[in-house]
Amino acid sequence: MKKIFVYLPVDEEYAESKSALVAATQQLDAGMTHFFEEKEDDLAVLKQILTTANSGDVLVVAKLIVLARMPEEEWINLCKTAEKGMNVVALNLNSTLQGLHISNESERIASRASTATLLELTGKAIKYVQTNPLFAQKKTPTGSLAGRPVDKDLHHRISLRLLAGESYSKIQKMENCGRSTISRVKNSMTVVKEE
């Protein structure tokens, strides 16, 4: 019997992602009962999922970008696990939803092909962004740099909490932010100290 692993990192988009995944559980009637929350930056939960997943199992995420943000080593592990028959379903990509309801061999083959294509295209996009330094300099139509704008007030509050010696977990809870945001602020503080 296939297992469905619902993977949910605890980050800036946690609340939105969780509500989307809970709604999908009810609407799609796919037996998504086990949520695996990733609270640390070491991706231990995802590594465990990839280690235990078998052919026919499904990894569900709210958005594909969750997986695209992984370090290269984990991306390679994900692709290897998918090659062995694990399907990847991203709720923001309707074409992947078929992976939740596979009832025969032809649907299994189609879902595996969909997962392989999805991961290949995403991998190429990641490589392009990483190897094209001009991509990071692209501007939006309004003239600002592409990407989410920095919340300077949030970063300031986080830096004060870090200086006060508060833990990442407490800062996450008090400021409703992800560990990666706290790490970015901490790293920027280190650069300023070194200068």
Side-chain angles (χ1 to χ4, degrees):
M1 185 171 152
K2 76 176 177 188
K3 294 186 289 269
I4 298 178
F5 301 99
V6 183
Y7 179 65
L8 181 60
V10 179
D11 60 11
E12 299 92 356
E13 299 171 358
Y14 172 78
E16 177 187 345
S17 296
K18 184 159 188 178
S19 63
L21 289 163
V22 168
T25 299
Q26 296 164 352
Q27 291 172 359
L28 299 173
D29 188 33
M32 295 187 285
T33 56
H34 299 292
F35 284 67
F36 296 86
E37 295 186 354
E38 186 80 74
K39 296 179 182 174
E40 303 296 329
D41 289 336
D42 64 359
L43 302 176
V45 173
L46 180 62
K47 290 175 185 175
Q48 183 63 34
I49 290 171
L50 296 179
T51 302
T52 60
N54 296 310
S55 180
D57 290 346
V58 182
L59 174 64
V60 180
V61 292
K63 297 178 181 176
L64 184 64
I65 192 71
V66 167
L67 300 176
R69 291 176 179 155
M70 294 188 310
E72 184 177 12
E73 180 182 331
E74 295 315 316
W75 179 259
I76 291 168
N77 287 339
L78 171 67
C79 292
K80 286 179 181 176
T81 306
E83 285 173 10
K84 294 176 186 172
M86 181 189 74
N87 293 310
V88 175
V89 171
L91 297 183
N92 66 328
L93 297 172
N94 289 337
S95 62
T96 65
L97 296 178
Q98 68 188 13
L100 292 171
H101 297 288
I102 297 173
S103 60
N104 59 49
E105 184 63 15
S106 62
E107 288 178 355
R108 186 185 67 74
I109 292 169
S111 185
R112 283 190 69 187
S114 173
T115 294
T117 303
L118 174 71
L119 295 180
E120 180 182 356
L121 291 174
T122 304
K124 289 183 184 220
I126 293 168
K127 189 164 276 200
Y128 173 77
V129 170
Q130 291 173 343
T131 59
N132 187 347
L134 295 177
F135 186 83
Q137 301 300 321
K138 297 216 181 216
K139 299 198 180 222
T140 64
T142 62
S144 63
L145 289 176
R148 187 182 295 181
V150 173
D151 184 340
K152 291 181 182 178
D153 291 335
L154 173 64
H155 283 221
H156 178 71
R157 291 192 309 271
I158 291 171
S159 64
L160 292 176
R161 290 183 181 280
L162 286 168
L163 289 171
E166 293 183 9
S167 69
Y168 272 40
S169 298
K170 184 173 181 181
I171 295 171
Q172 266 187 290
K173 185 175 181 181
M174 299 304 292
E175 298 297 339
N176 192 26
C177 65
R179 297 179 83 79
S180 59
T181 301
I182 299 168
S183 292
R184 276 194 300 276
V185 172
K186 186 175 183 179
N187 291 338
S188 70
M189 291 170 60
T190 305
V191 169
V192 170
K193 284 180 187 176
E194 289 173 356
E195 293 173 354

